[in-house]
Amino acid sequence: MSRHPSSWRRGVSLLLACATLLLLGTASTASAHPLSTSAVLLDVGTTSVSATVELPLDELSVARDQVLTASTVIEASTLAELCTYVQGHLSASDASGRTWSTVVTNGRVEPVDGVDNLVLDATLTPASGPVGDFVLHDDVIVDQLLSHRVFVSGRYGSTGSYTTLAMLSWQTQSVPVASATPASTSAAPADEGFVAAVRLGIHHIATGSDHLLFLIMLLLPAPLVAAGRRWQARPDTGLGGAARSGVRVVHVVTAFAVGHSCTLVLGALGWVALPSRLVESGIALSVLVSAVHAVRPLVRRGEVLIAGGFGLLHGVAFAAILGGLDLSRTSLVTTLLGFNLGIELTQLLVVALVMPSLLLLSRTPAYPAVRIGVATLGAVLAAGWLAQRAGLVGVNPLEPVAPLVVDHPVALAVGLAVCALALTGLQRVRATRPTPRRSLPRWAAPERERLTTDTCR
């Protein structure tokens, strides 16, 4: 017995409403700091480099496998242990590979965007001579939490605004830093900050498996058309059909770009702010909804609505990243433009790598299985993220699976293209193969003879 479409819509609406209430209910215990993110603010001098290290207590607690609160973390024994831990995982080395000395002191608790952080002061000093170009290495928390991220910003002369240098992760734990040249003692060049921001936007999307998965879930049904509550292949399989699918992808990408750009600007200027746990949980929900839509259309042109609506939420998350870097208004505008450009370039690259293969696959009988299989995988991963970010589970057992998607993008794209070409070729071979004539069984020999005789007559 089939379910009435209206009851299906009511069920989905009820699910979304319950998820929203759940997120709002957990928001009071959430933070506004980007989840799984710490920061290192460098002041590059002529004889040493000072660093302010900000470590969110929730992530630090998980990494150290102990409960750390605002009161317990500054106890003398605990603080000394944490200073030793950070000192062993934060270092610098010069061009010849010599490691500098690192001293970590002055532990205190400060709210960063409303979240308690352990803030430590570190001093990095070269073995001899003035500060030259160096490489900063930092795997604090990252050594235990693969999902953790570290934002590194720097400035010269202890004044002026910070410039974004890199976002470190378990894959990339080092960043080269230029020395304080006479031309850069007051601030880093604006174009250098813009390029760094572009790289940061590219890196954020390229390593953000949830953002990538959201985009891929929206692309899955793009080559198809909705017929009632089902997806089906386009009736026009020629260039016209491909062009219409391309226009549909443009609508999806544009809706997402407009949505996240609006809230990125508003959030970076401080006009829009939401608790980070609510935002991050909402992003996981966006992947889940888009995956369900890829299996079965929720509403007409739903992928455009989902991209635009949830794009607003993704923009708040992007803004929270920039808001945690202590940038001045001038540097913020430059970083904002560069960061957004990096995001858009990466998205266009993903579309260019994936969409041609999806167009080919959509014309084969295998595409329903491929689409539903990929969407189911996305839904399962999104459910794991949602449960973890909403505080329902402490550890997400599926967390190691998602990085596999972003660690090998070229191999996955090539594999998808090979599958698409192979299935398309196989389909064409079968279409051109002549249909074998069916022979009559032995017991029908008299009938065969009668037919032959009638034909001769």
Side-chain angles (χ1 to χ4, degrees):
M1 180 178 179
S2 61
R3 196 176 182 184
H4 195 275
S6 60
S7 62
W8 167 260
R9 285 194 291 270
R10 283 196 297 270
V12 173
S13 301
L14 181 61
L15 176 63
L16 292 176
C18 292
T20 303
L21 291 175
L22 176 63
L23 298 180
L24 291 174
T26 58
S28 58
T29 60
S31 64
H33 192 275
L35 291 179
S36 306
T37 302
S38 58
V40 176
L41 308 177
L42 299 174
D43 284 302
V44 182
T46 55
T47 59
S48 65
V49 176
S50 300
T52 302
V53 183
E54 300 173 348
L55 306 171
L57 288 184
D58 53 350
E59 296 292 299
L60 188 60
S61 298
V62 176
R64 300 298 296 167
D65 193 22
Q66 63 183 116
V67 178
L68 298 172
T69 64
S71 57
T72 62
V73 76
I74 55 175
E75 293 176 355
S77 59
T78 303
L79 190 57
E81 178 186 345
L82 291 174
C83 286
T84 303
Y85 165 66
V86 174
Q87 193 166 303
H89 292 265
L90 178 68
S91 63
S93 58
D94 57 24
S96 62
R98 290 180 298 180
T99 303
W100 297 7
S101 67
T102 303
V103 177
V104 179
T105 57
N106 297 334
R108 57 197 180 278
V109 175
E110 293 182 358
V112 177
D113 290 338
V115 177
D116 285 339
N117 276 235
L118 174 63
V119 180
L120 300 170
D121 295 328
T123 302
L124 306 167
T125 308
S128 61
V131 171
D133 295 345
F134 65 96
V135 175
L136 180 76
H137 176 86
D138 183 0
D139 64 344
V140 178
I141 299 181
V142 176
D143 65 325
Q144 296 297 323
L145 279 179
L146 299 183
S147 59
H148 193 73
R149 299 290 184 270
V150 182
F151 285 95
V152 180
S153 300
R155 65 180 179 182
Y156 299 89
S158 302
T159 58
S161 60
Y162 285 99
T163 299
T164 306
L165 299 178
M167 181 175 67
L168 304 182
S169 64
W170 69 274
Q171 301 136 309
T172 305
Q173 301 177 356
S174 301
V175 53
V177 182
S179 61
T181 61
S184 60
T185 53
S186 58
D191 57 344
E192 181 180 329
F194 179 79
V195 173
V198 173
R199 292 174 180 167
L200 180 62
I202 294 174
H203 187 268
H204 181 66
I205 292 296
T207 59
S209 48
D210 49 1
H211 297 300
L212 280 177
L213 209 54
F214 177 64
L215 181 59
I216 291 174
M217 292 299 107
L218 294 176
L219 294 180
L220 280 176
L224 308 175
V225 293
R229 310 307 302 170
R230 301 175 63 87
W231 292 110
Q232 68 178 24
R234 282 188 171 278
D236 46 350
T237 57
L239 293 178
R244 290 183 181 87
S245 297
V247 170
R248 196 171 177 184
V249 171
V250 171
H251 289 167
V252 171
V253 174
T254 303
F256 183 59
V258 171
H260 78 68
S261 296
C262 290
T263 46
L264 172 59
V265 173
L266 296 176
L269 295 176
W271 296 346
V272 173
L274 291 174
S276 135
R277 190 176 297 278
L278 175 63
V279 174
E280 295 294 334
S281 301
I283 290 175
L285 180 63
S286 71
V287 180
L288 180 60
V289 172
S290 58
V292 172
H293 181 71
V295 174
R296 189 168 183 173
L298 298 177
V299 294
R300 180 175 173 79
R301 298 180 61 79
E303 60 274 17
V304 177
L305 298 176
I306 293 172
F310 281 108
L312 297 171
L313 209 54
H314 284 249
V316 176
F318 299 153
I321 294 170
L322 300 183
L325 298 181
D326 292 340
L327 302 172
S328 68
R329 182 58 59 93
T330 304
S331 179
L332 179 61
V333 173
T334 304
T335 303
L336 186 63
L337 294 175
F339 186 72
N340 207 25
L341 177 60
I343 291 173
E344 306 306 339
L345 289 176
T346 309
Q347 290 181 163
L348 292 177
L349 178 62
V350 172
V351 171
L353 288 175
V354 172
M355 206 56 217
S357 299
L358 294 184
L359 284 172
L360 286 178
L361 281 172
S362 67
R363 299 175 182 181
T364 68
Y367 193 59
V370 173
R371 172 175 53 83
I372 294 175
V374 174
T376 302
L377 175 62
V380 172
L381 291 176
W385 287 328
L386 182 59
Q388 183 187 34
R389 295 174 183 182
L392 300 179
V393 297
V395 178
N396 179 12
L398 301 175
E399 188 64 35
V401 178
L404 296 177
V405 178
V406 298
D407 286 350
H408 311 285
V410 176
L412 290 175
V414 171
L416 183 64
V418 170
C419 289
L421 291 173
L423 290 173
T424 301
L426 181 62
Q427 185 184 25
R428 290 185 176 179
V429 169
R430 288 181 175 178
T432 56
R433 182 181 300 172
T435 304
R437 297 180 59 183
R438 297 183 59 185
S439 59
L440 295 175
R442 180 173 299 176
W443 55 265
E447 180 67 15
R448 183 192 299 114
E449 183 178 355
R450 185 184 66 79
L451 291 174
T452 304
T453 304
D454 292 344
T455 303
C456 292
R457 287 177 181 173

